[in-house]
Amino acid sequence: MPIERRPLREQIREELLSRIDRGDFAAGTDINEVALATELGVSRTPLREALITLAGEGVLESNQGKGFRFAPVSRKEFRELCEIVAALESLALERSDPAYLREIAPKLLTLARDFPDSVAEQQVIERHDDEWHDLLLSGCRNERLLDLITSVKAGMRRYAHLLAGDETPLEREQAEHCRVAELLMAGDLPQAAEALRVNWVNGMERMMSRIPAS
Amino acid sequence: MPIERRPLREQIREELLSRIDRGDFAAGTDINEVALATELGVSRTPLREALITLAGEGVLESNQGKGFRFAPVSRKEFRELCEIVAALESLALERSDPAYLREIAPKLLTLARDFPDSVAEQQVIERHDDEWHDLLLSGCRNERLLDLITSVKAGMRRYAHLLAGDETPLEREQAEHCRVAELLMAGDLPQAAEALRVNWVNGMERMMSRIPAS
DNA sequence: ACTATGAATTCTGAATACAGATTTATGGAC
DNA sequence: GTCCATAAATCTGTATTCAGAATTCATAGT
């Protein structure tokens, strides 16, 4: 059994991202490197490496002499990120193997219908949503594109916990996912890609009001 | 006058990118950190920070215990990158201020017509091309998108010097740029965005044969 | 009371030191 | 001569140290 040997910076990056998911860090707050390094039980070197990576993904900002801080959230940026991901995921779908898509379409439909009901924990809903999108794009042949999508989505994680504990119209989300799946079963890739883009744009509108004005 | 004070890692990153433009490094070769740090006159710490950034942009690869190396080039990846940039630039154009676009359209047309002739140095041609694209997208209101485009294009720089010293059909490139500019003058944003996408796809096809098979 | 100035503190950015992994070199068995 | 084992050298990944910038705090002056 090959035991896991990954650079510390990657583990640290993932730990920080999962803490962001839990809403541990408030947007806009400064990072104290020594304090955080001590808490994580690592030295500043790999921590800084992780911070630099996250800054490249837009999760953090860095200012000369002032170090890193969690990038503030804004409706403007959220809209920008949604636009980007909508375009990228739509492209990824268009660049997928049609045969493979038809193959997984039934499973996508099942997953979409099995959406957890509104009372489920936000964490559960999000994980289910991620799973659906991951499966949807798993047939994309453009590897760089998949990496890029993952990276951009990391920048969106800051918004996840802001949207927790609400009465979002899950039915709409569910219906839109079903529509994508059905179009794939019918073999209409362009329409499915368009439906996916629409899903992102609609989702953005639904979430927009929950984000602080500026 | 505020004198320039930027982190070393950024300066190093840019220096490495410009060296890649000059074709100083062969794709696929390993990086010796101590040697490179010495040559640049810096310590390994900021150098590694720059390397990690470049790895995040796809310029480098990193393997546990083996350090960094310049990512190998391939037709497949070049096609992938072109697809991505085509989609992103097209989106950026669609998200630009139409009034501003009409304003700069004449200048875009002039620049496109003033394309350096075939005998000009590759460097000159590339710089001119970059200038045109930068101006074209300068009206985009989606800041994250512009950053992303810059980042993805950094990953394409590895291919720049491969395409040097050839008899590429510059006329086609020039004509396509003119077409985009003309559509913008006519105020037809969707068509201009589509023409821009086509320009990227065609450019990809033109370059493809010059890249090593695998 | 308020501001300005400067020292003390805290923190980041960069350099150096150390530990462990990987590669290269060496030597012996066949 | 080839193959394998083992030791030396090299290099990366991480920790620690150092230098200087930014911030805080205290004090003097108005």
Side-chain angles (χ1 to χ4, degrees):
Chain A
M1 170 187 99
I3 63 172
E4 180 174 352
R5 303 199 333 93
R6 312 211 331 275
L8 262 184
R9 59 172 179 277
E10 290 184 15
Q11 299 177 229
I12 294 172
R13 170 179 170 277
E14 286 174 20
E15 172 63 22
L16 291 178
L17 280 176
S18 70
R19 290 194 184 195
I20 288 174
D21 288 341
R22 298 208 307 266
D24 286 4
F25 308 110
T29 56
D30 293 343
I31 288 178
N32 185 323
E33 295 180 8
V34 280
L36 188 52
T38 306
E39 183 181 333
L40 294 172
V42 297
S43 81
R44 278 180 61 213
T45 307
L47 170 60
R48 278 178 60 85
E49 294 180 344
L51 296 180
I52 287 168
T53 302
L54 289 171
E57 294 174 327
V59 178
L60 302 177
E61 290 180 351
S62 78
N63 292 36
Q64 168 73 289
K66 306 196 182 160
F68 298 87
R69 68 167 187 166
F70 292 94
V73 297
S74 71
R75 291 183 187 171
K76 176 176 187 299
E77 197 215 15
F78 185 68
R79 191 201 322 273
E80 292 183 355
L81 288 171
C82 285
E83 277 180 9
I84 294 170
V85 176
L88 292 180
E89 282 210 351
S90 176
L91 176 63
L93 196 55
E94 285 174 357
R95 295 310 174 198
S96 295
D97 178 14
Y100 175 82
L101 283 177
R102 241 190 316 265
E103 194 177 309
I104 64 170
K107 177 145 198 210
L108 282 169
L109 192 57
T110 308
L111 270 174
R113 282 184 179 140
D114 287 353
F115 230 84
D117 53 8
S118 314
V119 298
E121 282 187 46
Q122 185 72 13
Q123 295 266 355
V124 176
I125 296 175
E126 281 170 23
R127 203 159 298 279
H128 190 274
D129 198 61
D130 289 343
E131 194 187 344
W132 189 85
H133 281 272
D134 286 347
L135 176 60
L136 177 68
L137 303 185
S138 60
C140 177
R141 302 200 203 78
N142 189 327
E143 296 175 44
R144 293 289 273 103
L145 179 55
L146 289 180
D147 290 345
L148 192 61
I149 289 173
T150 304
S151 175
V152 175
K153 278 187 175 176
M156 298 189 69
R157 293 224 217 164
R158 296 177 289 137
Y159 292 88
H161 81 277
L162 287 180
L163 313 169
D166 62 349
E167 303 289 323
T168 32
L170 272 179
E171 296 77 15
R172 292 292 305 276
E173 188 80 6
Q174 183 176 9
E176 288 170 7
H177 280 195
C178 288
R179 169 135 186 82
V180 173
E182 285 159 2
L183 284 165
L184 286 179
M185 289 184 75
D188 191 344
L189 201 46
Q191 283 283 67
E194 181 56 24
L196 181 61
R197 188 202 313 273
V198 168
N199 169 237
W200 272 104
V201 174
N202 286 347
M204 172 187 74
E205 299 292 352
R206 287 194 284 269
M207 299 302 186
M208 204 53 119
S209 62
R210 316 205 119 258
I211 298 170
S214 177
Chain B
M1 169 188 93
I3 63 173
E4 180 175 348
R5 300 198 337 90
R6 308 198 353 263
L8 262 184
R9 60 172 178 275
E10 291 184 14
Q11 299 176 228
I12 294 172
R13 170 178 169 278
E14 287 174 19
E15 172 63 22
L16 291 178
L17 280 176
S18 71
R19 290 193 184 196
I20 288 174
D21 289 341
R22 298 207 308 265
D24 287 5
F25 308 109
T29 56
D30 294 344
I31 289 179
N32 184 323
E33 296 180 8
V34 279
L36 187 51
T38 305
E39 184 181 332
L40 294 171
V42 298
S43 80
R44 279 180 60 211
T45 307
L47 170 60
R48 278 179 61 84
E49 294 178 345
L51 296 179
I52 286 167
T53 302
L54 290 171
E57 293 173 328
V59 178
L60 303 177
E61 291 179 350
S62 80
N63 292 41
Q64 169 73 293
K66 307 199 184 157
F68 299 87
R69 68 167 187 168
F70 292 94
V73 297
S74 70
R75 291 184 187 171
K76 175 175 187 298
E77 196 213 18
F78 185 68
R79 191 201 323 273
E80 292 184 355
L81 288 171
C82 284
E83 278 180 9
I84 293 170
V85 175
L88 291 180
E89 282 211 351
S90 176
L91 175 63
L93 197 55
E94 285 173 357
R95 295 309 174 199
S96 295
D97 179 13
Y100 175 82
L101 283 177
R102 241 189 316 264
E103 197 178 305
I104 64 170
K107 178 145 197 213
L108 282 168
L109 192 57
T110 308
L111 270 174
R113 283 184 178 143
D114 285 355
F115 231 84
D117 53 8
S118 315
V119 297
E121 281 188 48
Q122 185 74 13
Q123 296 266 354
V124 175
I125 296 175
E126 281 170 22
R127 202 158 299 280
H128 191 272
D129 198 62
D130 290 344
E131 194 187 342
W132 190 85
H133 282 271
D134 287 347
L135 177 60
L136 178 68
L137 303 185
S138 60
C140 177
R141 302 200 202 78
N142 189 328
E143 296 174 45
R144 293 288 274 102
L145 178 55
L146 289 179
D147 290 345
L148 192 61
I149 289 172
T150 305
S151 175
V152 176
K153 279 186 176 177
M156 299 189 67
R157 293 222 216 166
R158 295 177 290 137
Y159 291 88
H161 82 276
L162 287 180
L163 313 167
D166 62 348
E167 303 290 322
T168 31
L170 273 179
E171 298 76 17
R172 293 292 308 274
E173 187 80 6
Q174 182 176 10
E176 288 170 7
H177 281 194
C178 288
R179 168 133 186 84
V180 173
E182 284 159 4
L183 284 165
L184 287 178
M185 289 184 76
D188 191 344
L189 202 45
Q191 283 282 67
E194 180 56 24
L196 181 61
R197 189 201 313 273
V198 168
N199 170 234
W200 272 103
V201 174
N202 286 348
M204 174 188 73
E205 299 293 351
R206 286 194 284 270
M207 299 301 186
M208 204 54 120
S209 62
R210 315 206 120 259
I211 298 170
S214 178

